[in-house]
PDB file of all heavy atoms in Angstrom:
ATOM      1  N   ASN A 394      12.187  12.429  14.359  1.00 93.00           N
ATOM      2  CA  ASN A 394      12.270  10.961  14.388  1.00 93.00           C
ATOM      3  C   ASN A 394      11.251  10.329  15.319  1.00 93.00           C
ATOM      4  O   ASN A 394      10.745   9.239  15.037  1.00 93.00           O
ATOM      5  CB  ASN A 394      13.683  10.504  14.763  1.00 93.00           C
ATOM      6  CG  ASN A 394      14.619  10.590  13.569  1.00 93.00           C
ATOM      7  OD1 ASN A 394      14.167  10.641  12.425  1.00 93.00           O
ATOM      8  ND2 ASN A 394      15.916  10.636  13.818  1.00 93.00           N
ATOM      9  N   GLU A 395      10.912  11.022  16.424  1.00 93.00           N
ATOM     10  CA  GLU A 395       9.947  10.409  17.341  1.00 93.00           C
ATOM     11  C   GLU A 395       8.568  10.293  16.690  1.00 93.00           C
ATOM     12  O   GLU A 395       7.819   9.355  16.973  1.00 93.00           O
ATOM     13  CB  GLU A 395       9.897  11.173  18.665  1.00 93.00           C
ATOM     14  CG  GLU A 395       9.462  12.609  18.596  1.00 93.00           C
ATOM     15  CD  GLU A 395       9.694  13.372  19.901  1.00 93.00           C
ATOM     16  OE1 GLU A 395      10.777  13.258  20.492  1.00 93.00           O
ATOM     17  OE2 GLU A 395       8.760  14.076  20.324  1.00 93.00           O
ATOM     18  N   VAL A 396       8.248  11.215  15.791  1.00 95.00           N
ATOM     19  CA  VAL A 396       6.976  11.137  15.049  1.00 95.00           C
ATOM     20  C   VAL A 396       7.078  10.093  13.944  1.00 95.00           C
ATOM     21  O   VAL A 396       6.169   9.263  13.751  1.00 95.00           O
ATOM     22  CB  VAL A 396       6.588  12.525  14.491  1.00 95.00           C
ATOM     23  CG1 VAL A 396       5.366  12.416  13.578  1.00 95.00           C
ATOM     24  CG2 VAL A 396       6.299  13.489  15.640  1.00 95.00           C
ATOM     25  N   LEU A 397       8.199  10.104  13.210  1.00 96.00           N
ATOM     26  CA  LEU A 397       8.376   9.123  12.133  1.00 96.00           C
ATOM     27  C   LEU A 397       8.409   7.694  12.670  1.00 96.00           C
ATOM     28  O   LEU A 397       7.915   6.769  12.012  1.00 96.00           O
ATOM     29  CB  LEU A 397       9.658   9.419  11.346  1.00 96.00           C
ATOM     30  CG  LEU A 397       9.674  10.725  10.545  1.00 96.00           C
ATOM     31  CD1 LEU A 397      11.008  10.890   9.841  1.00 96.00           C
ATOM     32  CD2 LEU A 397       8.525  10.798   9.546  1.00 96.00           C
ATOM     33  N   ASP A 398       8.952   7.501  13.867  1.00 95.00           N
ATOM     34  CA  ASP A 398       8.970   6.156  14.466  1.00 95.00           C
ATOM     35  C   ASP A 398       7.548   5.650  14.710  1.00 95.00           C
ATOM     36  O   ASP A 398       7.242   4.473  14.470  1.00 95.00           O
ATOM     37  CB  ASP A 398       9.755   6.164  15.787  1.00 95.00           C
ATOM     38  CG  ASP A 398      11.259   6.272  15.565  1.00 95.00           C
ATOM     39  OD1 ASP A 398      11.703   6.086  14.422  1.00 95.00           O
ATOM     40  OD2 ASP A 398      11.979   6.556  16.544  1.00 95.00           O
ATOM     41  N   VAL A 399       6.684   6.533  15.195  1.00 96.00           N
ATOM     42  CA  VAL A 399       5.278   6.159  15.422  1.00 96.00           C
ATOM     43  C   VAL A 399       4.597   5.827  14.096  1.00 96.00           C
ATOM     44  O   VAL A 399       3.854   4.840  13.980  1.00 96.00           O
ATOM     45  CB  VAL A 399       4.532   7.301  16.156  1.00 96.00           C
ATOM     46  CG1 VAL A 399       3.020   7.100  16.106  1.00 96.00           C
ATOM     47  CG2 VAL A 399       5.003   7.382  17.613  1.00 96.00           C
ATOM     48  N   MET A 400       4.873   6.622  13.061  1.00 96.00           N
ATOM     49  CA  MET A 400       4.284   6.364  11.743  1.00 96.00           C
ATOM     50  C   MET A 400       4.806   5.049  11.157  1.00 96.00           C
ATOM     51  O   MET A 400       4.059   4.302  10.517  1.00 96.00           O
ATOM     52  CB  MET A 400       4.584   7.533  10.807  1.00 96.00           C
ATOM     53  CG  MET A 400       3.857   8.807  11.209  1.00 96.00           C
ATOM     54  SD  MET A 400       4.458  10.280  10.335  1.00 96.00           S
ATOM     55  CE  MET A 400       4.019   9.870   8.638  1.00 96.00           C
ATOM     56  N   THR A 401       6.082   4.749  11.412  1.00 96.00           N
ATOM     57  CA  THR A 401       6.652   3.477  10.947  1.00 96.00           C
ATOM     58  C   THR A 401       5.952   2.304  11.628  1.00 96.00           C
ATOM     59  O   THR A 401       5.634   1.294  10.980  1.00 96.00           O
ATOM     60  CB  THR A 401       8.169   3.443  11.234  1.00 96.00           C
ATOM     61  OG1 THR A 401       8.783   4.543  10.551  1.00 96.00           O
ATOM     62  CG2 THR A 401       8.793   2.146  10.749  1.00 96.00           C
ATOM     63  N   ASP A 402       5.693   2.430  12.922  1.00 96.00           N
ATOM     64  CA  ASP A 402       4.959   1.385  13.656  1.00 96.00           C
ATOM     65  C   ASP A 402       3.580   1.165  13.037  1.00 96.00           C
ATOM     66  O   ASP A 402       3.132   0.022  12.876  1.00 96.00           O
ATOM     67  CB  ASP A 402       4.792   1.773  15.134  1.00 96.00           C
ATOM     68  CG  ASP A 402       6.097   1.726  15.916  1.00 96.00           C
ATOM     69  OD1 ASP A 402       7.084   1.161  15.403  1.00 96.00           O
ATOM     70  OD2 ASP A 402       6.123   2.266  17.037  1.00 96.00           O
ATOM     71  N   LEU A 403       2.888   2.254  12.716  1.00 96.00           N
ATOM     72  CA  LEU A 403       1.555   2.148  12.096  1.00 96.00           C
ATOM     73  C   LEU A 403       1.622   1.396  10.777  1.00 96.00           C
ATOM     74  O   LEU A 403       0.781   0.535  10.489  1.00 96.00           O
ATOM     75  CB  LEU A 403       0.982   3.544  11.824  1.00 96.00           C
ATOM     76  CG  LEU A 403       0.364   4.332  12.960  1.00 96.00           C
ATOM     77  CD1 LEU A 403      -0.142   5.663  12.429  1.00 96.00           C
ATOM     78  CD2 LEU A 403      -0.766   3.544  13.589  1.00 96.00           C
ATOM     79  N   ALA A 404       2.625   1.737   9.973  1.00 95.00           N
ATOM     80  CA  ALA A 404       2.785   1.070   8.675  1.00 95.00           C
ATOM     81  C   ALA A 404       3.029  -0.423   8.865  1.00 95.00           C
ATOM     82  O   ALA A 404       2.452  -1.262   8.158  1.00 95.00           O
ATOM     83  CB  ALA A 404       3.931   1.714   7.897  1.00 95.00           C
ATOM     84  N   LYS A 405       3.865  -0.760   9.833  1.00 95.00           N
ATOM     85  CA  LYS A 405       4.150  -2.178  10.109  1.00 95.00           C
ATOM     86  C   LYS A 405       2.901  -2.921  10.564  1.00 95.00           C
ATOM     87  O   LYS A 405       2.756  -4.118  10.321  1.00 95.00           O
ATOM     88  CB  LYS A 405       5.239  -2.297  11.178  1.00 95.00           C
ATOM     89  CG  LYS A 405       6.632  -1.965  10.667  1.00 95.00           C
ATOM     90  CD  LYS A 405       7.644  -2.037  11.801  1.00 95.00           C
ATOM     91  CE  LYS A 405       9.045  -1.718  11.307  1.00 95.00           C
ATOM     92  NZ  LYS A 405       9.993  -1.520  12.431  1.00 95.00           N
ATOM     93  N   ASP A 406       2.002  -2.195  11.232  1.00 95.00           N
ATOM     94  CA  ASP A 406       0.750  -2.813  11.692  1.00 95.00           C
ATOM     95  C   ASP A 406      -0.283  -2.952  10.584  1.00 95.00           C
ATOM     96  O   ASP A 406      -1.385  -3.461  10.815  1.00 95.00           O
ATOM     97  CB  ASP A 406       0.143  -1.982  12.841  1.00 95.00           C
ATOM     98  CG  ASP A 406       0.971  -2.063  14.116  1.00 95.00           C
ATOM     99  OD1 ASP A 406       1.823  -2.972  14.205  1.00 95.00           O
ATOM    100  OD2 ASP A 406       0.779  -1.217  15.007  1.00 95.00           O
ATOM    101  N   GLY A 407       0.054  -2.463   9.364  1.00 95.00           N
ATOM    102  CA  GLY A 407      -0.853  -2.650   8.226  1.00 95.00           C
ATOM    103  C   GLY A 407      -1.817  -1.522   7.958  1.00 95.00           C
ATOM    104  O   GLY A 407      -2.751  -1.668   7.155  1.00 95.00           O
ATOM    105  N   MET A 408      -1.623  -0.357   8.615  1.00 97.00           N
ATOM    106  CA  MET A 408      -2.510   0.776   8.368  1.00 97.00           C
ATOM    107  C   MET A 408      -2.317   1.298   6.946  1.00 97.00           C
ATOM    108  O   MET A 408      -1.188   1.462   6.488  1.00 97.00           O
ATOM    109  CB  MET A 408      -2.205   1.900   9.380  1.00 97.00           C
ATOM    110  CG  MET A 408      -2.929   3.217   9.131  1.00 97.00           C
ATOM    111  SD  MET A 408      -4.745   3.107   9.197  1.00 97.00           S
ATOM    112  CE  MET A 408      -5.008   2.982  10.970  1.00 97.00           C
ATOM    113  N   THR A 409      -3.412   1.548   6.241  1.00 97.00           N
ATOM    114  CA  THR A 409      -3.342   2.208   4.935  1.00 97.00           C
ATOM    115  C   THR A 409      -2.968   3.662   5.174  1.00 97.00           C
ATOM    116  O   THR A 409      -3.586   4.336   6.005  1.00 97.00           O
ATOM    117  CB  THR A 409      -4.705   2.145   4.218  1.00 97.00           C
ATOM    118  OG1 THR A 409      -5.170   0.797   4.220  1.00 97.00           O
ATOM    119  CG2 THR A 409      -4.604   2.650   2.795  1.00 97.00           C
ATOM    120  N   MET A 410      -1.938   4.147   4.459  1.00 98.00           N
ATOM    121  CA  MET A 410      -1.441   5.491   4.711  1.00 98.00           C
ATOM    122  C   MET A 410      -1.083   6.201   3.416  1.00 98.00           C
ATOM    123  O   MET A 410      -0.510   5.593   2.519  1.00 98.00           O
ATOM    124  CB  MET A 410      -0.192   5.441   5.613  1.00 98.00           C
ATOM    125  CG  MET A 410      -0.472   4.940   7.015  1.00 98.00           C
ATOM    126  SD  MET A 410       1.007   4.409   7.951  1.00 98.00           S
ATOM    127  CE  MET A 410       2.008   5.872   7.971  1.00 98.00           C
ATOM    128  N   MET A 411      -1.430   7.479   3.340  1.00 98.00           N
ATOM    129  CA  MET A 411      -0.899   8.355   2.306  1.00 98.00           C
ATOM    130  C   MET A 411      -0.147   9.462   3.035  1.00 98.00           C
ATOM    131  O   MET A 411      -0.724  10.144   3.896  1.00 98.00           O
ATOM    132  CB  MET A 411      -2.001   8.950   1.427  1.00 98.00           C
ATOM    133  CG  MET A 411      -1.439   9.907   0.377  1.00 98.00           C
ATOM    134  SD  MET A 411      -2.726  10.740  -0.594  1.00 98.00           S
ATOM    135  CE  MET A 411      -3.152   9.454  -1.736  1.00 98.00           C
ATOM    136  N   VAL A 412       1.125   9.617   2.698  1.00 98.00           N
ATOM    137  CA  VAL A 412       1.994  10.524   3.442  1.00 98.00           C
ATOM    138  C   VAL A 412       2.638  11.521   2.489  1.00 98.00           C
ATOM    139  O   VAL A 412       3.364  11.132   1.570  1.00 98.00           O
ATOM    140  CB  VAL A 412       3.109   9.746   4.192  1.00 98.00           C
ATOM    141  CG1 VAL A 412       3.925  10.702   5.062  1.00 98.00           C
ATOM    142  CG2 VAL A 412       2.523   8.606   5.026  1.00 98.00           C
ATOM    143  N   VAL A 413       2.361  12.806   2.705  1.00 97.00           N
ATOM    144  CA  VAL A 413       3.078  13.871   2.008  1.00 97.00           C
ATOM    145  C   VAL A 413       4.242  14.263   2.906  1.00 97.00           C
ATOM    146  O   VAL A 413       4.038  14.672   4.059  1.00 97.00           O
ATOM    147  CB  VAL A 413       2.166  15.088   1.756  1.00 97.00           C
ATOM    148  CG1 VAL A 413       2.960  16.253   1.151  1.00 97.00           C
ATOM    149  CG2 VAL A 413       0.999  14.716   0.857  1.00 97.00           C
ATOM    150  N   THR A 414       5.469  14.115   2.421  1.00 95.00           N
ATOM    151  CA  THR A 414       6.627  14.373   3.283  1.00 95.00           C
ATOM    152  C   THR A 414       7.863  14.675   2.457  1.00 95.00           C
ATOM    153  O   THR A 414       7.941  14.335   1.273  1.00 95.00           O
ATOM    154  CB  THR A 414       6.901  13.153   4.198  1.00 95.00           C
ATOM    155  OG1 THR A 414       7.948  13.490   5.121  1.00 95.00           O
ATOM    156  CG2 THR A 414       7.322  11.929   3.408  1.00 95.00           C
ATOM    157  N   HIS A 415       8.827  15.338   3.117  1.00 91.00           N
ATOM    158  CA  HIS A 415      10.154  15.537   2.521  1.00 91.00           C
ATOM    159  C   HIS A 415      11.178  14.612   3.170  1.00 91.00           C
ATOM    160  O   HIS A 415      12.373  14.728   2.888  1.00 91.00           O
ATOM    161  CB  HIS A 415      10.592  16.993   2.688  1.00 91.00           C
ATOM    162  CG  HIS A 415       9.746  17.960   1.903  1.00 91.00           C
ATOM    163  ND1 HIS A 415       9.722  17.971   0.528  1.00 91.00           N
ATOM    164  CD2 HIS A 415       8.888  18.918   2.303  1.00 91.00           C
ATOM    165  CE1 HIS A 415       8.881  18.914   0.113  1.00 91.00           C
ATOM    166  NE2 HIS A 415       8.363  19.489   1.175  1.00 91.00           N
ATOM    167  N   GLU A 416      10.711  13.717   4.037  1.00 93.00           N
ATOM    168  CA  GLU A 416      11.629  12.820   4.752  1.00 93.00           C
ATOM    169  C   GLU A 416      11.922  11.595   3.882  1.00 93.00           C
ATOM    170  O   GLU A 416      11.187  10.606   3.894  1.00 93.00           O
ATOM    171  CB  GLU A 416      11.015  12.407   6.106  1.00 93.00           C
ATOM    172  CG  GLU A 416      10.754  13.564   7.050  1.00 93.00           C
ATOM    173  CD  GLU A 416      12.031  14.262   7.477  1.00 93.00           C
ATOM    174  OE1 GLU A 416      13.100  13.611   7.510  1.00 93.00           O
ATOM    175  OE2 GLU A 416      11.970  15.470   7.785  1.00 93.00           O
ATOM    176  N   MET A 417      12.993  11.672   3.126  1.00 93.00           N
ATOM    177  CA  MET A 417      13.279  10.624   2.141  1.00 93.00           C
ATOM    178  C   MET A 417      13.748   9.317   2.783  1.00 93.00           C
ATOM    179  O   MET A 417      13.494   8.242   2.248  1.00 93.00           O
ATOM    180  CB  MET A 417      14.320  11.112   1.132  1.00 93.00           C
ATOM    181  CG  MET A 417      13.838  12.259   0.278  1.00 93.00           C
ATOM    182  SD  MET A 417      12.360  11.859  -0.672  1.00 93.00           S
ATOM    183  CE  MET A 417      11.272  13.181  -0.182  1.00 93.00           C
ATOM    184  N   GLY A 418      14.425   9.402   3.926  1.00 93.00           N
ATOM    185  CA  GLY A 418      14.832   8.175   4.618  1.00 93.00           C
ATOM    186  C   GLY A 418      13.610   7.375   5.050  1.00 93.00           C
ATOM    187  O   GLY A 418      13.550   6.156   4.874  1.00 93.00           O
ATOM    188  N   PHE A 419      12.614   8.069   5.591  1.00 95.00           N
ATOM    189  CA  PHE A 419      11.345   7.442   5.970  1.00 95.00           C
ATOM    190  C   PHE A 419      10.676   6.824   4.743  1.00 95.00           C
ATOM    191  O   PHE A 419      10.191   5.691   4.781  1.00 95.00           O
ATOM    192  CB  PHE A 419      10.428   8.486   6.615  1.00 95.00           C
ATOM    193  CG  PHE A 419       9.010   8.044   6.806  1.00 95.00           C
ATOM    194  CD1 PHE A 419       8.648   7.264   7.898  1.00 95.00           C
ATOM    195  CD2 PHE A 419       8.029   8.409   5.892  1.00 95.00           C
ATOM    196  CE1 PHE A 419       7.331   6.847   8.067  1.00 95.00           C
ATOM    197  CE2 PHE A 419       6.716   7.997   6.055  1.00 95.00           C
ATOM    198  CZ  PHE A 419       6.368   7.217   7.148  1.00 95.00           C
ATOM    199  N   ALA A 420      10.660   7.574   3.636  1.00 95.00           N
ATOM    200  CA  ALA A 420      10.020   7.080   2.409  1.00 95.00           C
ATOM    201  C   ALA A 420      10.684   5.796   1.918  1.00 95.00           C
ATOM    202  O   ALA A 420      10.004   4.821   1.582  1.00 95.00           O
ATOM    203  CB  ALA A 420      10.082   8.152   1.321  1.00 95.00           C
ATOM    204  N   ARG A 421      11.996   5.764   1.889  1.00 94.00           N
ATOM    205  CA  ARG A 421      12.723   4.557   1.453  1.00 94.00           C
ATOM    206  C   ARG A 421      12.379   3.364   2.329  1.00 94.00           C
ATOM    207  O   ARG A 421      12.254   2.239   1.858  1.00 94.00           O
ATOM    208  CB  ARG A 421      14.232   4.786   1.558  1.00 94.00           C
ATOM    209  CG  ARG A 421      14.854   5.658   0.494  1.00 94.00           C
ATOM    210  CD  ARG A 421      16.344   5.750   0.808  1.00 94.00           C
ATOM    211  NE  ARG A 421      17.027   6.790   0.087  1.00 94.00           N
ATOM    212  CZ  ARG A 421      17.645   6.606  -1.076  1.00 94.00           C
ATOM    213  NH1 ARG A 421      17.636   5.432  -1.659  1.00 94.00           N
ATOM    214  NH2 ARG A 421      18.272   7.610  -1.670  1.00 94.00           N
ATOM    215  N   ARG A 422      12.248   3.638   3.620  1.00 94.00           N
ATOM    216  CA  ARG A 422      12.088   2.567   4.607  1.00 94.00           C
ATOM    217  C   ARG A 422      10.664   2.012   4.637  1.00 94.00           C
ATOM    218  O   ARG A 422      10.458   0.819   4.848  1.00 94.00           O
ATOM    219  CB  ARG A 422      12.477   3.136   5.975  1.00 94.00           C
ATOM    220  CG  ARG A 422      12.806   2.166   7.054  1.00 94.00           C
ATOM    221  CD  ARG A 422      13.435   2.837   8.270  1.00 94.00           C
ATOM    222  NE  ARG A 422      12.539   3.772   8.955  1.00 94.00           N
ATOM    223  CZ  ARG A 422      12.735   5.079   9.019  1.00 94.00           C
ATOM    224  NH1 ARG A 422      13.769   5.632   8.407  1.00 94.00           N
ATOM    225  NH2 ARG A 422      11.890   5.845   9.672  1.00 94.00           N
ATOM    226  N   VAL A 423       9.689   2.882   4.441  1.00 96.00           N
ATOM    227  CA  VAL A 423       8.308   2.524   4.785  1.00 96.00           C
ATOM    228  C   VAL A 423       7.368   2.414   3.578  1.00 96.00           C
ATOM    229  O   VAL A 423       6.425   1.626   3.592  1.00 96.00           O
ATOM    230  CB  VAL A 423       7.756   3.543   5.816  1.00 96.00           C
ATOM    231  CG1 VAL A 423       6.282   3.311   6.098  1.00 96.00           C
ATOM    232  CG2 VAL A 423       8.549   3.471   7.115  1.00 96.00           C
ATOM    233  N   ALA A 424       7.639   3.196   2.529  1.00 97.00           N
ATOM    234  CA  ALA A 424       6.679   3.251   1.409  1.00 97.00           C
ATOM    235  C   ALA A 424       6.639   1.952   0.628  1.00 97.00           C
ATOM    236  O   ALA A 424       7.655   1.297   0.427  1.00 97.00           O
ATOM    237  CB  ALA A 424       7.034   4.405   0.470  1.00 97.00           C
ATOM    238  N   HIS A 425       5.442   1.594   0.179  1.00 97.00           N
ATOM    239  CA  HIS A 425       5.306   0.584  -0.865  1.00 97.00           C
ATOM    240  C   HIS A 425       5.484   1.243  -2.234  1.00 97.00           C
ATOM    241  O   HIS A 425       5.963   0.623  -3.174  1.00 97.00           O
ATOM    242  CB  HIS A 425       3.915  -0.060  -0.827  1.00 97.00           C
ATOM    243  CG  HIS A 425       3.632  -0.798   0.454  1.00 97.00           C
ATOM    244  ND1 HIS A 425       2.646  -0.421   1.325  1.00 97.00           N
ATOM    245  CD2 HIS A 425       4.238  -1.877   1.010  1.00 97.00           C
ATOM    246  CE1 HIS A 425       2.634  -1.251   2.366  1.00 97.00           C
ATOM    247  NE2 HIS A 425       3.586  -2.134   2.194  1.00 97.00           N
ATOM    248  N   ARG A 426       5.055   2.513  -2.303  1.00 97.00           N
ATOM    249  CA  ARG A 426       5.069   3.192  -3.601  1.00 97.00           C
ATOM    250  C   ARG A 426       5.327   4.678  -3.398  1.00 97.00           C
ATOM    251  O   ARG A 426       4.786   5.291  -2.478  1.00 97.00           O
ATOM    252  CB  ARG A 426       3.709   2.986  -4.290  1.00 97.00           C
ATOM    253  CG  ARG A 426       3.597   3.571  -5.677  1.00 97.00           C
ATOM    254  CD  ARG A 426       2.443   2.924  -6.470  1.00 97.00           C
ATOM    255  NE  ARG A 426       1.277   2.706  -5.655  1.00 97.00           N
ATOM    256  CZ  ARG A 426       0.100   3.353  -5.830  1.00 97.00           C
ATOM    257  NH1 ARG A 426      -0.035   4.243  -6.775  1.00 97.00           N
ATOM    258  NH2 ARG A 426      -0.927   3.075  -5.061  1.00 97.00           N
ATOM    259  N   MET A 427       6.169   5.225  -4.275  1.00 97.00           N
ATOM    260  CA  MET A 427       6.411   6.662  -4.320  1.00 97.00           C
ATOM    261  C   MET A 427       5.545   7.256  -5.428  1.00 97.00           C
ATOM    262  O   MET A 427       5.433   6.680  -6.510  1.00 97.00           O
ATOM    263  CB  MET A 427       7.885   6.955  -4.634  1.00 97.00           C
ATOM    264  CG  MET A 427       8.879   6.386  -3.639  1.00 97.00           C
ATOM    265  SD  MET A 427       8.728   7.081  -1.981  1.00 97.00           S
ATOM    266  CE  MET A 427       9.042   8.824  -2.321  1.00 97.00           C
ATOM    267  N   VAL A 428       4.946   8.404  -5.134  1.00 98.00           N
ATOM    268  CA  VAL A 428       4.193   9.150  -6.145  1.00 98.00           C
ATOM    269  C   VAL A 428       4.840  10.530  -6.241  1.00 98.00           C
ATOM    270  O   VAL A 428       4.907  11.257  -5.241  1.00 98.00           O
ATOM    271  CB  VAL A 428       2.704   9.274  -5.762  1.00 98.00           C
ATOM    272  CG1 VAL A 428       1.983  10.247  -6.693  1.00 98.00           C
ATOM    273  CG2 VAL A 428       2.027   7.908  -5.794  1.00 98.00           C
TER     274      VAL A 428
END
């Protein structure tokens, strides 16, 4: 969670991100799009 929190902050700041992950809670919260 301490890493995902930092990534969530980056997303909120508008950073373009592509994330390969199994963390579905993070994906629901942060993604604009699932691939």
Side-chain angles (χ1 to χ4, degrees):
N394 281 341
E395 62 191 46
V396 173
L397 294 179
D398 286 347
V399 166
M400 292 168 64
T401 301
D402 290 347
L403 281 181
K405 286 177 180 169
D406 291 344
M408 172 61 75
T409 309
M410 294 163 59
M411 178 185 281
V412 185
V413 174
T414 186
H415 293 294
E416 299 296 332
M417 295 301 126
F419 169 82
R421 285 180 194 267
R422 199 169 64 246
V423 174
H425 297 116
R426 183 160 40 113
M427 301 296 300
V428 170

